Amino acid sequence: MKTRGARAGPMRILLVVLAVLALLLCVGKEASAQSVKTLQKLANKDRDGVAKLDAGQFIKHAVADNKDYSVVVQMTALLPQYKCTACKTVDASLRAVSRGWKRQRGSVDPALQIVFATLDMEDGEDLSRQMGLEGLPHLIIFPAGKGARAFENPSPREMPLNARTSDPRGMATKLGELFSIEFKPDLPTDYAKHLTNAAAVAAAALAAYLVYTHVDLRRLGRSAGAIGTILFVLLMTSGFMWNRINTPKYVGHTRGGDVLLFLPTNGQQYSVETQIVAATYAVCALCVVALVRHVPRIQNQDQRTFVTLMFTLALIMTYSYLNSIFRLKMSSYPFRLLLP
């Protein structure tokens, strides 16, 4: 089973859903009120309020025709053997939106009934195959067909998943446009981001102090144009602009709450990846500059030898770490040095 690849077209999904609707005659039709109670009961079993469905429940309660509630379902593959990183990212975002909805639904129009649900490959592999889903994850919305908050067109529709809509805020915005309500995702405190920002501020302050105390600012002023050009080139090539355009999450999280710093694909990234790679390049540059400019000025031969070995070792280890990042992002990357 591929977890990445071409997505089935929306029209194809809708045609298959219509075929599934025909199966309802054989399965049996439950009253809308009973169906939403069943879904809410399943959602209450999950701490994030996401109902875990099997194929039968999906057909009865999500695809069910003429219902007065809406269902947002992720078709996903979260088991480790599928190695679907995008599935984990979308799952975490959906859960953040669902947690936020649990908190705010008491203050919105009670006629607006929305249930968040998940159908995993382990529970609906045959159904996913019948629907022609060649790549996962998918996020499909089954709107209400009757009631005060009924949709004019209750046909199912798929939300395109990209770097923006896979983020909790982007997903909440898209769903808000569909349901005409502001979703407020429940985002955990990102301690890694705050710590990294604090470290960056401290490093910038230290760098400014070192420049002020050790650099001839008058000579530096004559090179300001060259320095500005170099900084501009680094800014444009470091991934910063990609982050500004796509607004990815700063870091990721596993289902267990552990922090993820890298997405193992060259098509997506977390914002922190840019900072890590830039810092790694900076360390390599610092080692080279130290070996060329400062180490030769050390008068004591033993000290000079020791410092040379230390900077050389730091350069090799840092560059090896950089290669390991490249291999993580692109499995076909051919180079390796010390680190796996």
Side-chain angles (χ1 to χ4, degrees):
M1 168 65 190
K2 295 188 296 182
T3 55
R4 302 289 298 175
R7 295 182 180 276
M11 184 59 66
R12 184 179 181 184
I13 291 178
L14 296 183
L15 290 175
V16 176
V17 169
L18 290 176
V20 173
L21 285 173
L23 297 177
L24 295 176
L25 296 175
C26 300
V27 175
K29 185 176 180 181
E30 289 188 19
S32 180
Q34 183 61 38
S35 287
V36 73
K37 288 181 180 179
T38 301
L39 286 175
Q40 289 173 347
K41 184 176 180 180
L42 292 172
N44 291 336
K45 294 181 179 180
D46 183 84
R47 63 179 183 179
D48 298 321
V50 178
K52 192 176 191 311
L53 306 180
D54 57 31
Q57 293 167 333
F58 172 77
I59 293 175
K60 287 182 180 180
H61 306 307
V63 185
D65 194 16
N66 200 31
K67 58 185 181 295
D68 60 358
Y69 59 91
S70 299
V71 188
V72 180
V73 183
Q74 64 166 339
M75 312 284 287
T76 188
L78 295 173
L79 291 180
Q81 61 261 34
Y82 296 119
K83 299 180 180 179
C84 182
T85 303
C87 293
K88 297 177 182 178
T89 301
V90 172
D91 179 68
S93 297
L94 182 73
R95 290 179 176 279
V97 176
S98 177
R99 288 195 302 269
W101 174 245
K102 284 177 61 179
R103 293 183 176 182
Q104 71 179 107
R105 65 185 176 188
S107 59
V108 299
D109 184 357
L112 179 61
Q113 300 186 83
I114 303 173
V115 180
F116 292 88
T118 181
L119 177 63
D120 200 278
M121 275 291 297
E122 62 175 330
D123 299 313
E125 184 171 1
D126 292 338
L127 182 61
S128 297
R129 188 180 299 111
Q130 293 170 12
M131 294 181 69
L133 301 181
E134 300 176 6
L136 294 174
H138 290 265
L139 193 64
I140 306 176
I141 297 92
F142 297 89
K146 67 176 183 179
R149 298 302 294 265
F151 281 62
E152 291 184 5
N153 177 13
S155 300
R157 68 277 319 264
E158 180 180 8
M159 177 189 292
L161 293 174
N162 50 44
R164 185 181 297 274
T165 55
S166 295
D167 177 82
R169 295 183 181 87
M171 183 181 292
T173 299
K174 280 293 184 181
L175 289 174
E177 294 172 356
L178 178 63
F179 290 102
S180 300
I181 188 176
E182 181 185 1
F183 285 92
K184 301 175 181 178
D186 178 25
L187 302 175
T189 303
D190 198 338
Y191 295 104
K193 179 178 180 179
H194 296 317
L195 181 61
T196 303
N197 288 339
V201 171
L206 178 60
Y209 172 77
L210 293 175
V211 169
Y212 180 77
T213 56
H214 293 83
V215 176
D216 186 345
L217 296 180
R218 289 176 298 179
R219 180 179 298 178
L220 181 65
R222 293 194 292 269
S223 305
I227 294 173
T229 301
I230 292 173
L231 291 177
F232 179 77
V233 171
L234 291 175
L235 182 66
M236 293 298 105
T237 59
S238 65
F240 174 79
M241 294 305 297
W242 191 95
N243 290 341
R244 294 291 296 176
I245 294 171
N246 295 280
T247 59
K249 293 195 296 183
Y250 187 73
V251 295
H253 294 86
T254 66
R255 298 190 70 181
D258 296 329
V259 175
L260 293 175
L261 299 180
F262 294 95
L263 270 172
T265 171
N266 61 357
Q268 297 185 35
Q269 70 178 36
Y270 297 126
S271 294
V272 73
E273 294 182 31
T274 296
Q275 299 178 10
I276 294 174
V277 172
T280 306
Y281 274 123
V283 173
C284 289
L286 177 64
C287 292
V288 172
V289 171
L291 289 169
V292 173
R293 296 291 302 274
H294 298 287
V295 172
R297 299 177 184 178
I298 300 176
Q299 300 298 322
N300 186 284
Q301 183 176 353
D302 292 337
Q303 291 181 356
R304 185 167 61 249
T305 301
F306 176 77
V307 174
T308 299
L309 290 175
M310 290 298 100
F311 273 113
T312 302
L313 178 61
L315 177 60
I316 293 174
M317 295 302 297
T318 304
Y319 188 70
S320 177
Y321 174 66
L322 194 62
N323 280 341
S324 69
I325 293 176
F326 293 159
R327 285 195 306 278
L328 175 65
K329 299 293 291 182
M330 185 170 59
S331 59
S332 60
Y333 189 75
F335 303 110
R336 174 178 299 181
L337 181 64
L338 296 183
L339 297 179

